[in-house]
Amino acid sequence: MTKPTMKVLVTGAAGQICYSLIGMIASGQMLGFDQPIILHLLEVPVAMDALKGVCMEITDSAYPLVKKVVATSDYQEAFTDIDVCIMVGAMPRKDGMERKDLLEKNASIFKGQGEALEKYSKKSVKVLVVGNPANTNCLIAKTYAPSIPAENFSALTRLDHNRAKAQVADRLGVNVSDVHNVTIWGNHSSTQYPDVSHGYVTINGEKKSITEAVNDDAWLKGDFISTVQKRGAAVIAARKLSSATSAAKAIVDHVHDWVLGTPEGEWVSMAIPSDGSYGIPEGVIYSFPVTCKDGVVTIVQGLKIDDFSRNKMEVTDKELREEKQLALN
Ligand code: NAX
């Protein structure tokens, strides 16, 4: 039997992340290879010509799962009855722009799009914010869509999570699929805290904690953390453009696991509204270790937090509260 069609909105659809992302979604990698979809693609009016080209390529790719494509710059058309909302479009930081200005500009975009979610979307819509500053943009969208449950909002830290796994795999000479349960805490920014202290690797069929397998505390508490924190900047320095294909893959991983579930015993990182877990007070969108089942996200509880971790978790929490203040003012 064919599944009911799902409507997926992608904003910033003519941008570089979406150029990688849309094909992955259309092929079934995100929602399943048996899931028919209608794609809603939102852009600003000046980018509509470029978006036309993207649409031609979707047509020419002949994806059997794509039932229809709606390309628009109209919020009502874009947000009506959607099941999944991937917010990639955002105002980029320009030369000479203060962080405060960037936060303000984006706050106005995400206020408008939050209002559109409130007005036109299904109450069950799952929202993923990618456009930076992702956590705070997500908070703004959530604020302006009060009738959509808070647990339907998330921001992307899966790219950081994947980067952390890949760094450990590379260091140990194992496959990324052998690295489990790393955590990204906090903000998708350079204050994020990539934490492997609860993770493990499988080497020759044997489970070992990452800390024991790596056996180099100085690296784990030093270069490893800063490499993951600054990886986005390193990609920009090399490519002269920010991460795109790895961001698209992370978006697909995030939504896939949210909708279809995380494997038994495995957790991933998602930035979600804090519920007070691990002493992070409510009011910010904070990245936690989570599991997903039947579309419900649950924060992994009971992990031991030492002083080193506590300090790093507080630094990134403080930054999120400052961002919130700037954005809301
Ligand atoms: P691009 O500049 O290539 O594309 C952004 C697109 O968004 C443009 O086509 C623009 O016209 C459109 N846009 C702008 N305002 C819009 C609005 N109000 N409604 C709809 N569309 C709008 O950027 P790209 O490289 O695709 O990156 C997009 C965003 O993702 C940036 O904010 C970037 O910083 C952020 N990232 C977030 C990551 C994360 O892990 N959370 C990682 C990758 C990326 O850096």
Side-chain angles (χ1 to χ4, degrees):
M1 239 180 47
T2 319
K3 286 183 170 177
T5 302
M6 286 176 81
K7 286 188 180 167
V8 179
L9 166 61
V10 181
T11 77
Q16 57 144 4
I17 291 178
C18 290
Y19 197 70
S20 291
L21 174 65
I22 291 169
M24 294 183 193
I25 299 174
S27 67
Q29 283 183 58
M30 186 174 84
L31 292 170
F33 295 99
D34 57 350
Q35 177 60 62
I37 55 169
I38 293 178
L39 275 174
H40 285 202
L41 306 178
L42 179 73
E43 257 300 347
V44 290
V46 290
M48 287 311 285
D49 273 347
L51 187 58
K52 245 185 233 159
V54 172
C55 291
M56 285 185 222
E57 291 210 63
I58 299 172
T59 303
D60 298 348
S61 301
Y63 295 110
L65 291 171
V66 177
K67 299 301 164 197
K68 192 175 159 191
V69 180
V70 178
T72 183
S73 57
D74 176 73
Y75 278 8
Q76 180 168 358
E77 201 176 9
F79 283 87
T80 295
D81 286 342
I82 50 168
D83 299 284
V84 176
C85 177
I86 304 172
M87 300 171 120
V88 183
M91 165 74 72
R93 191 168 192 157
K94 298 199 176 113
D95 265 354
M97 205 180 201
E98 296 281 329
R99 187 160 155 259
K100 182 172 162 287
D101 300 329
L102 180 75
L103 282 158
E104 267 174 18
K105 287 265 180 323
N106 279 295
S108 79
I109 293 176
F110 284 83
K111 172 178 184 278
Q113 297 190 350
E115 287 166 347
L117 278 166
E118 175 75 7
K119 223 164 150 187
Y120 306 121
S121 304
K122 289 184 182 166
K123 299 302 168 204
S124 57
V125 63
K126 286 182 162 48
V127 181
L128 167 60
V129 177
V130 179
N132 277 318
N135 302 50
T136 299
N137 288 342
C138 179
L139 183 72
I140 304 289
K142 171 183 159 293
T143 306
Y144 288 94
S147 72
I148 295 173
E151 59 266 29
N152 294 17
F153 287 86
S154 66
L156 189 74
T157 51
R158 185 62 175 266
L159 176 54
D160 311 297
H161 179 99
N162 287 348
R163 285 168 173 164
K165 277 179 75 167
Q167 287 300 316
V168 171
D170 187 50
R171 175 83 178 193
L172 293 173
V174 300
N175 191 276
V176 273
S177 61
D178 296 324
V179 181
H180 305 271
N181 296 354
V182 304
T183 304
I184 303 297
W185 300 96
N187 200 2
H188 168 71
S189 77
S190 57
T191 66
Q192 65 176 264
Y193 171 39
D195 172 18
V196 297
S197 61
H198 310 285
Y200 68 93
V201 281
T202 321
I203 301 176
N204 302 326
E206 241 183 82
K207 256 171 135 174
K208 239 184 185 183
S209 79
I210 294 176
T211 315
E212 197 190 339
V214 170
N215 194 25
D216 185 346
D217 226 34
W219 183 76
L220 283 175
K221 289 187 167 162
D223 282 355
F224 162 73
I225 293 176
S226 59
T227 299
V228 176
Q229 286 173 332
K230 295 179 192 154
R231 187 69 163 182
V235 171
I236 294 175
R239 221 170 77 85
K240 314 291 175 244
L241 284 170
S242 57
S243 315
T245 196
S246 54
K249 162 69 164 50
I251 293 166
V252 165
D253 288 348
H254 177 115
V255 177
H256 175 277
D257 290 352
W258 193 357
V259 174
L260 299 170
T262 42
E264 197 58 41
E266 186 86 18
W267 74 65
V268 293
S269 304
M270 279 171 79
I272 54 172
S274 177
D275 64 354
S277 292
Y278 294 101
I280 304 300
E282 290 179 23
V284 287
I285 306 290
Y286 193 94
S287 181
F288 289 100
V290 302
T291 57
C292 308
K293 196 174 180 197
D294 301 326
V296 176
V297 179
T298 307
I299 297 175
V300 176
Q301 297 295 340
L303 300 177
K304 211 169 154 275
I305 306 296
D306 63 16
D307 289 347
F308 179 84
S309 293
R310 173 58 57 199
N311 175 43
K312 297 237 173 273
M313 287 162 69
E314 281 174 2
V315 168
T316 189
D317 180 42
K318 183 166 174 279
E319 182 186 52
L320 280 169
R321 282 167 208 284
E322 284 165 6
E323 281 188 9
K324 176 183 173 182
Q325 212 59 38
L326 284 170
L328 290 175
N329 287 342

